[in-house]
Amino acid sequence: MNDIQSILSIAKRTIETESKAVQNLVNLLDEQFAHAVQHILESQGRVVVSGVGKSAIIASKIVATLNSTGTPAIFMHAADAIHGDLGTIQKNDVVVCISKSGNTPEIKALLPLIKIAKNKLIGITGNMDSVLAKQADFVLNTFVEKEACPNNLAPTTSTSAQLAMGDALAISLLELRGFSSADFAKYHPGGALGKKLYLRVADIVAQNQKPEVNVNSSVKEVIVEISEKMLGVTAVLEDNKVVGVVTDGDIRRMLSKHNNIGELTARDIMTSDPKSVDVDTLAVKALEILQSKGISQLLAFENGSYAGVVHIHNLINEGIL
């Protein structure tokens, strides 16, 4: 059983078992799900998600997804709830309890306390005959025929179903709230994901020097400007307006074509009609332009005036690429 094909067979069987169970959730969705979503939308409180064991881990992930997509949520371990943490649940909160069997002792002990407090209860369970299913105001059915574990013991398929149902809940709420990419950026300001949503060309340009020469500048002056500003390019200006660019590639092509470069100027070697972008453009959009054009730099403009250069290396350093 240690050969490669046997190992791959086990892995494929596991994934197929779990994927079939998740796909079957489509057949289990009913009006209970829709009512649960509507109630959360109308609620003035948070979503408190609880569970024990592996279900508690899934509950934590669902909380993270809800928080990041515009629905305030908090995790409460069911065992801790009945030993002092019940105060986590506030007056207007909606409680979500997750349990495969729906008869977990900690969950059973928690349910009457939720009812006494008159909080609405959403149950996520694979057992529609369980205590949780019977006492919940809304029940989300996550029934699975079997776990991927060959002994049908280790929570695998069941937790995949719970996770998928939680994602369905979060995304439904996201779309109904009209949660936009701009909203998403507010909740994800750090890392590459956040930067793709808020970082603009202006933020990049501000970090760079601003290379520029006159159309009548000598080749030596052009080379010095490109070297000093370290962006592999310089804008070429005439009467304070950009008329072209000279890149390090233009310099190499010039050297291959001309033996005597002493009398050449920027105008003679520049590329007219350079590719450009507005400073308000998202950095990720600038990257798309660079990649589609097969170039390394873009000139940036603000209100029609030359503002600087954004280089693909800037975007790599920011983690955009």
Side-chain angles (χ1 to χ4, degrees):
M1 285 296 292
N2 289 328
D3 64 277
I4 292 176
Q5 290 305 315
S6 295
I7 294 170
L8 291 176
S9 177
I10 295 169
K12 290 177 181 179
R13 185 186 68 234
T14 301
I15 294 172
E16 287 174 354
T17 300
E18 294 190 358
S19 64
K20 288 178 181 177
V22 170
Q23 180 62 42
N24 188 54
L25 292 180
V26 173
N27 302 318
L28 301 180
L29 285 175
D30 56 19
E31 292 183 356
Q32 291 279 304
F33 181 90
H35 291 321
V37 170
Q38 289 173 337
H39 188 78
I40 293 174
L41 281 172
E42 295 168 0
S43 171
Q44 299 300 310
R46 307 159 303 172
V47 178
V48 180
V49 190
S50 187
V52 294
K54 303 301 186 294
S55 294
I57 296 172
I58 296 301
S60 293
K61 191 276 178 185
I62 292 174
V63 165
T65 302
L66 288 169
N67 278 323
S68 69
T69 52
T71 299
I74 188 169
F75 170 71
M76 178 186 69
H77 198 285
D80 293 335
I82 59 178
H83 291 286
D85 284 2
L86 195 62
T88 299
I89 305 174
Q90 301 299 303
K91 180 180 178 181
N92 295 316
D93 291 344
V94 179
V95 181
V96 178
C97 286
I98 305 175
S99 171
K100 176 189 176 182
S101 70
N103 292 316
T104 307
E106 294 86 349
I107 293 292
K108 290 172 69 175
L110 178 60
L111 296 180
L113 304 175
I114 297 172
K115 288 295 184 179
I116 291 172
K118 297 183 178 179
N119 293 90
K120 287 294 183 180
L121 172 63
I122 299 172
I124 297 180
T125 181
N127 182 2
M128 298 302 285
D129 294 322
S130 64
V131 173
L132 175 58
K134 291 177 179 178
Q135 294 197 21
D137 296 290
F138 313 104
V139 185
L140 311 186
N141 190 352
T142 53
F143 170 77
V144 298
E145 290 187 2
K146 61 179 180 178
E147 300 289 2
C149 165
N151 300 313
N152 197 28
L153 294 174
T156 47
T157 311
S158 58
T159 49
S160 296
Q162 293 169 352
L163 187 61
M165 187 64 76
D167 286 343
L169 196 66
I171 300 305
S172 295
L173 291 164
L174 176 153
E175 293 197 17
L176 291 172
R177 292 185 194 281
F179 195 81
S180 67
S181 59
D183 296 318
F184 200 78
K186 295 177 184 178
Y187 292 87
H188 299 78
L193 178 59
K195 289 181 179 180
K196 286 183 178 181
L197 294 168
Y198 75 81
L199 191 69
R200 299 186 180 275
V201 168
D203 302 316
I204 300 292
V205 169
Q207 303 173 30
N208 292 334
Q209 299 186 71
K210 184 181 175 183
E212 59 181 69
V213 296
N214 186 271
V215 288
N216 296 317
S217 297
S218 67
V219 168
K220 179 180 178 180
E221 290 172 324
V222 171
I223 294 174
V224 169
E225 183 71 359
I226 292 175
S227 298
E228 289 184 348
K229 301 301 170 63
M230 298 184 294
L231 291 168
V233 67
T234 181
V236 181
L237 278 63
E238 184 175 27
D239 297 329
N240 294 319
K241 293 184 178 181
V242 173
V243 294
V245 293
V246 178
T247 67
D248 48 11
D250 292 323
I251 297 297
R252 289 192 297 272
R253 285 186 286 274
M254 173 202 66
L255 292 173
S256 68
K257 293 179 180 179
H258 300 275
N259 292 323
N260 183 6
I261 64 172
E263 296 183 359
L264 295 177
T265 65
R267 188 193 299 276
D268 298 319
I269 62 174
M270 73 181 188
T271 299
S272 301
D273 192 26
K275 301 296 183 293
S276 63
V277 67
D278 190 271
V279 291
D280 286 332
T281 304
L282 286 173
V284 69
K285 179 62 178 178
L287 175 61
E288 291 175 8
I289 296 172
L290 288 169
Q291 291 177 322
S292 66
K293 302 296 182 182
I295 56 179
S296 299
Q297 311 97 342
L298 287 170
L299 298 191
F301 286 81
E302 183 175 13
N303 297 323
S305 298
Y306 172 55
V309 174
V310 57
H311 195 287
I312 194 168
H313 288 165
N314 298 138
L315 304 175
I316 293 173
N317 291 337
E318 292 288 350
I320 299 296
L321 183 59

